[in-house]
């Protein structure tokens, strides 16, 4: 796929370029500011943008705000955010439109090549990929939220893995459950979170949003 990278740390930026090109992808632009990111995406229309939250000049949330601008201008834009820290509100902002095609990884996860490349593929395909540490902190914060509090421990485990973007098959493998059991848990989650019948992919994103934003 064709990828744009926005990362101000030269070593990390070059490392991602090498990894992605070695695995068959094309990095059409690698920039270090939010404005350059917007220009690069506008010019190249990539399949995915990998964006650091904090970019020059302020090193606060310039990368995130640029990513949200891109998603607003083009709802089909796919964005994988990378950050040094868990920024809880940012994950919620990215998922707020319910469309998928977004991810949030801690930079430490980039060194786990298989997980990083899996997140790249998953987000580019329109799914979601949330770092397990981000999910853990969000669950801890929202454990008492209405709706989520009604889930059983096993249903919370399933929702935890759904939030990371895992498919039903991957959830089966992780929890050592039969497919019919996972499907039943997901159906119960949708019911308890008051998510009416709709496209299942859309409902999965909305289920994650329930505990992020409630």
């Amino acid at each position: 796929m064709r990828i744009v990278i926005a990362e101000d740390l030269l070593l990390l930026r070059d490392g991602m370029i090498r990894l992605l090109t070695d695995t068959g992808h094309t990095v059409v632009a690698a920039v270090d500011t939010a404005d350059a990111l917007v220009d690069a995406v506008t010019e190249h229309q990539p399949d995915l943008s990998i964006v650091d939250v904090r970019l020059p000049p302020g090193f606060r949330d310039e990368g995130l705000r640029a990513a949200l601008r891109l998603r607003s201008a083009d709802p089909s834009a796919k964005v994988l955010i990378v950050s040094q820290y868990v920024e809880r509100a940012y994950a919620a902002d990215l998922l707020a439109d319910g469309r998928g095609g977004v991810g949030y990884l801690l930079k430490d996860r980039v060194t786990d090549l298989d997980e990083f490349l899996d997140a790249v593929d998953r987000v580019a395909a329109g799914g979601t990929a949330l770092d397990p540490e981000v999910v853990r902190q969000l669950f801890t914060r929202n454990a008492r939220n209405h709706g989520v509090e009604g889930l059983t421990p096993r249903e919370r485990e399933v929702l935890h893995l759904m939030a990371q973007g895992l498919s039903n098959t991957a959830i089966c493998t992780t929890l050592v459950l039969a497919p019919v059991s996972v499907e039943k848990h997901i159906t119960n989650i949708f019911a308890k979170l008051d998510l009416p019948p709709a496209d299942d992919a859309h409902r999965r994103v909305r289920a994650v949003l329930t505990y992020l934003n409630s």
Side-chain angles (χ1 to χ4, degrees):
M1 69 186 74
R2 302 168 65 255
I3 298 173
V4 165
I5 296 173
E7 168 59 59
D8 66 293
L9 294 177
L10 178 61
L11 186 61
L12 180 57
R13 186 171 69 242
D14 286 350
M16 285 194 288
I17 292 172
R18 179 182 294 273
L19 172 62
L20 292 167
T21 55
D22 285 349
T23 52
H25 302 299
T26 300
V27 177
V28 294
V31 300
D32 60 2
T33 68
D35 288 342
L37 165 65
V38 173
D39 290 342
V41 171
T42 300
E43 177 182 354
H44 297 286
Q45 297 294 304
D47 301 302
L48 175 71
S49 298
I50 301 174
V51 183
D52 187 5
V53 167
R54 300 180 179 184
L55 292 173
F59 293 99
R60 292 187 296 272
D61 60 357
E62 289 84 353
L64 172 79
R65 287 189 282 108
L68 292 174
R69 284 167 53 197
L70 293 172
R71 294 269 293 178
S72 178
D74 179 7
S76 66
K78 309 298 191 301
V79 178
L80 175 60
I81 292 290
V82 293
S83 176
Q84 190 68 39
Y85 311 99
V86 177
E87 310 275 7
R88 293 173 176 175
Y90 294 163
D93 288 342
L94 282 170
L95 289 166
D97 57 29
R99 292 192 300 263
V102 295
Y104 187 114
L105 295 182
L106 293 181
K107 287 185 176 179
D108 289 346
R109 199 71 56 183
V110 176
T111 61
D112 188 325
L113 303 187
D114 290 338
E115 287 197 32
F116 175 64
L117 292 173
D118 178 67
V120 166
D121 291 339
R122 196 185 306 163
V123 173
T128 58
L130 292 180
D131 192 285
E133 178 61 18
V134 175
V135 174
R136 186 192 68 79
Q137 291 201 27
L138 290 168
F139 262 103
T140 300
R141 182 189 66 172
N142 292 305
R144 297 181 180 178
N145 284 341
H146 176 69
V148 175
E149 64 188 7
L151 301 180
T152 67
R154 179 62 85 183
E155 288 164 355
R156 290 192 185 203
E157 286 182 305
V158 172
L159 181 54
H160 182 99
L161 296 175
M162 287 170 60
Q164 294 180 38
L166 270 64
S167 66
N168 284 15
T169 300
I171 293 173
C172 289
T173 301
T174 301
L175 298 181
V176 194
L177 293 174
V180 65
S181 296
V182 171
E183 291 170 6
K184 181 178 179 180
H185 288 311
I186 292 175
T187 298
N188 290 340
I189 290 169
F190 289 158
K192 291 179 179 181
L193 298 184
D194 193 25
L195 299 174
D199 175 77
D200 277 349
H202 183 59
R203 284 205 291 176
R204 291 172 82 96
V205 174
R206 291 177 60 199
V208 174
L209 282 173
T210 297
Y211 81 85
L212 290 179
N213 294 329
S214 63

